[in-house]
Amino acid sequence: MSESEKNTARELRRPARTALSALSGALAGCAALAVAEAVAGAVRVQAGPLVAVGGAAIDRTPTAVKDWAIRTFGSDDKLVLRLGILAVLALFALASGVAALRFRRAGAAGVLVFGVVGAAAATGRPDSAGVGDALPSLCGAAVGAVVLYVLVGRLTHRSPGSGFGTGQANDASTEGNWDRRGFVVAAGITAVASVGAGLLGRALAGARGRGAVASRAAVRLPAPGSPARAVPRGAGLRIAGVGPFMTRNSDFYRVDTALVVPKVDATTWRLRIHGKGVRRPVVLGYDDLLRRELIERDITLTCVSNEVGGPYVGNARWTGVRLADLLAECGVRPPSAGGPADQLVARSVDGMTIGSPVEDLVDGRDALLAVGMNGEPLPFDHGFPVRMVVPGLYGYVSACKWIEDIELTTFASYDPYWVKRGWARRAPVKTQSRIDTPKPFARPAAGTVMVAGVAWAQHRGIDTVEVRVDDGPWQQARLAAEDSRDTWRQWSLPWAAAKGTHTLTVRATDRTGRTQTGERTRTVPDGASGWHSVVVTVE
Ligand SMILES: Nc1nc2c(c(=O)[nH]1)N[C@H]1C(S)=C(S)[C@@H](COP(=O)(O)O)O[C@H]1N2
Ligand SMILES: [Mo]
């Protein structure tokens, strides 16, 4: 091959050069992310840029958007957020690559800016462990910037004496020479090293969670001193389309802000109880809780973000310590007994804050520091090692998962996480009922159609459920046996369905005699109200 032929082979046309610069940006982005996640695996999983930026985004998302995301994507909302962040990162990486072709330093500096954003997000989260949380993003960005600088350098490479000079502000309109071998080698090394760093990060993160997993596997829950009474026969109607009376742990809805489920080691877990009017503050370990009398209760949990007819409600058998006893031992008096604190703020290891009325926690209901769910230690998703469960209050004002701190304070002096974002300070569960069968737009055959579902009014209890067909009279449904007034109740009504399109509507009345309001409200600020309707066409 002659000298001139070699030069032709190394000549790179403009579209190809742009494409390769974009590829450089993508590789730099991958390297940055992989290194950041590897460092996060060593420092703290929650400090990784994806989790940190995602968490910061969740914290800052307007309530209406968050509500929409929960409604639209359900439990996939976090996956959608992650993909969204990755898409933004990818676009930015590609753009940085192309920009670096003209302004090599500026392109690399752009990658650093992203690192600073990630670092700021990580250190600004409520559960941040300090400046160390900036490390993953900063290390990742530094590596990404170097990779981009080197790769783009190969693309705009000038052999000495090529006559174009060596200025770095390269005129992109001319076709230049490039160091093909150097580029391919550097790109290959980057790709392989990124995969390696990514795998390392995964392995490190897995190793960090292993202690927690082992501690959960080692838990033997003692038999409860006060067992739940047996679920009455007939509490579950066994009607197709209506779920079981007890919700399995794997089927239980999950709502929280955690992008990475906290893996807490029960052997090192501590709970501190302190604050206004706490005469004897304490710090408790997991075994301290297990040594106390455990009570076991069936309690239906509901999310305030549940729309009329929605799925964010579940019923489980919880095992735990009676919170009222613990508070009494700490010398806490409720406001009705002259205590100075009217709000109990629970804090989780991931920085969530959840405030409940002290009065409600000690009024005789079974407010629990729960350690067990349906006979097993709490699943990680549902708050292992310890969470709160309070009958009659929505989860966001009562059910703190991965709890580590309880502070007695006042509603006047402190607003917890969701209250800062527009939700009500106090939120008792609203009486609600749901039609589970037939499904919306079902096409049942004319004849007897079983209409059935659930109704709940925790801590008041369900008294009656009525169903209306179109604008007809309210007909009383048959109620399944009541487990307790803290649990939901199934109901059914055989309907003599005539051909045509019909609207079925349900409403419940609680044991205080109040009938569920038909007035439709949104979930914000204190839970949706209104009647659930289903339209079906009988054939
Ligand atoms: N640490 C923590 N606890 C939390 C939350 C959260 O985001 N973080 N969400 C609360 C909300 S809004 C609800 S409805 C319940 C849901 O509990 P589950 O996921 O076990 O069903 O947990 C509550 N406890
Ligand atoms: Mo919730």
Side-chain angles (χ1 to χ4, degrees):
M1 202 191 280
S2 76
E3 194 60 34
S4 72
E5 272 171 331
K6 246 194 237 165
N7 269 339
T8 318
R10 292 159 90 206
E11 216 166 76
L12 192 54
R13 292 183 171 280
R14 193 174 158 193
R17 210 162 47 156
T18 307
L20 286 177
S21 65
L23 173 67
S24 305
L27 280 168
C30 288
L33 258 191
V35 167
E37 294 300 337
V39 176
V43 178
R44 223 166 64 87
V45 186
Q46 281 78 358
L50 280 185
V51 178
V53 172
I58 291 176
D59 290 347
R60 282 165 188 76
T61 305
T63 298
V65 177
K66 202 157 8 189
D67 210 35
W68 168 83
I70 292 178
R71 277 203 312 272
T72 312
F73 304 117
S75 300
D76 292 333
D77 56 348
K78 297 187 187 74
L79 177 65
V80 172
L81 175 67
R82 240 171 222 267
L83 292 177
I85 293 171
L86 276 176
V88 171
L89 273 180
L91 283 178
F92 184 82
L94 294 173
S96 299
V98 174
L101 196 55
R102 264 174 176 268
F103 310 103
R104 200 166 144 203
R105 293 222 178 96
V111 175
L112 286 178
V113 169
F114 241 59
V116 171
V117 171
T123 51
R125 301 266 8 250
D127 62 334
S128 170
V131 289
D133 284 355
L135 271 182
S137 291
L138 292 183
C139 292
V143 170
V146 169
V147 165
L148 185 60
Y149 191 79
V150 169
L151 283 178
V152 171
R154 298 314 98 194
L155 292 178
T156 55
H157 180 79
R158 308 258 161 252
S159 46
S162 64
F164 285 101
T166 52
Q168 64 158 15
N170 186 41
D171 181 359
S173 66
T174 60
E175 288 152 13
N177 295 333
W178 70 308
D179 174 6
R180 186 167 65 187
R181 216 181 110 87
F183 182 85
V184 171
V185 169
I189 290 176
T190 303
V192 171
S194 298
V195 171
L199 292 177
L200 176 69
R202 231 159 226 255
L204 287 172
R208 305 190 120 247
R210 218 164 286 147
V213 172
S215 78
R216 182 172 181 276
V219 172
R220 295 285 167 270
L221 292 180
S226 167
R229 51 183 217 110
V231 173
R233 280 185 46 214
L237 292 175
R238 298 169 186 275
I239 292 176
V242 181
F245 177 73
M246 285 289 180
T247 313
R248 288 218 309 262
N249 289 354
S250 54
D251 296 333
F252 208 94
Y253 80 91
R254 179 188 157 204
V255 170
D256 55 58
T257 59
L259 276 172
V260 174
V261 174
K263 292 268 168 68
V264 181
D265 189 327
T267 59
T268 53
W269 174 86
R270 295 286 178 274
L271 172 68
R272 187 172 159 230
I273 305 180
H274 62 111
K276 276 198 185 74
V278 183
R279 281 176 286 184
R280 292 173 292 278
V282 288
V283 176
L284 297 162
Y286 191 69
D287 285 337
D288 297 327
L289 288 188
L290 294 196
R291 270 195 291 271
R292 302 178 61 93
E293 186 194 58
L294 296 180
I295 67 173
E296 187 187 51
R297 296 292 182 267
D298 298 342
I299 298 167
T300 297
L301 189 63
T302 317
C303 182
V304 71
S305 292
N306 194 49
E307 285 198 286
V308 173
Y312 301 129
V313 53
N315 184 46
R317 176 158 289 189
W318 306 94
T319 312
V321 167
R322 207 187 301 257
L323 189 56
D325 295 349
L326 209 50
L327 292 177
E329 283 171 38
C330 295
V332 174
R333 283 170 300 138
S336 59
D342 60 0
Q343 179 177 221
L344 178 149
V345 173
R347 236 177 230 100
S348 71
V349 300
D350 63 332
M352 173 54 62
T353 50
I354 287 184
S356 321
V358 174
E359 202 66 58
D360 291 355
L361 302 175
V362 302
D363 69 355
R365 74 182 83 193
D366 295 313
L368 298 179
L369 273 179
V371 293
M373 181 177 185
N374 288 328
E376 53 170 300
L378 289 178
F380 287 107
D381 280 359
H382 297 288
F384 182 82
V386 182
R387 74 174 303 168
M388 275 179 50
V389 176
V390 183
L393 303 180
Y394 284 118
Y396 88 102
V397 287
S398 69
C400 187
K401 306 194 274 189
W402 316 294
I403 191 172
E404 67 170 2
D405 187 280
I406 286 180
E407 181 175 357
L408 277 293
T409 178
T410 61
F411 280 104
S413 64
Y414 185 78
D415 283 340
Y417 187 92
W418 292 109
V419 175
K420 284 196 189 92
R421 288 161 178 79
W423 297 81
R425 292 201 171 84
R426 297 167 188 265
V429 174
K430 294 182 179 176
T431 300
Q432 265 298 343
S433 48
R434 187 178 76 192
I435 299 171
D436 289 336
T437 185
K439 298 287 175 221
F441 311 116
R443 303 183 146 268
T448 302
V449 171
M450 194 55 93
V451 184
V454 287
W456 59 89
Q458 290 93 311
H459 209 55
R460 298 182 298 278
I462 289 293
D463 188 57
T464 42
V465 170
E466 297 161 293
V467 176
R468 188 174 73 176
V469 181
D470 302 321
D471 292 327
W474 288 104
Q475 305 172 52
Q476 199 144 326
R478 182 170 77 91
L479 276 175
E482 178 174 68
D483 180 3
S484 85
R485 59 193 175 130
D486 295 335
T487 54
W488 60 12
R489 251 179 121 171
Q490 299 193 351
W491 56 266
S492 68
L493 182 79
W495 165 43
K499 275 189 185 161
T501 296
H502 299 286
T503 303
L504 303 166
T505 305
V506 66
R507 71 175 187 191
T509 300
D510 69 24
R511 286 210 186 283
T512 70
R514 277 233 190 95
T515 298
Q516 175 187 343
T517 173
E519 190 199 333
R520 277 262 178 177
T521 63
R522 307 175 43 107
T523 55
V524 186
D526 63 353
S529 70
W531 296 329
H532 186 215
S533 286
V534 167
V535 176
V536 299
T537 300
V538 180
E539 298 183 325

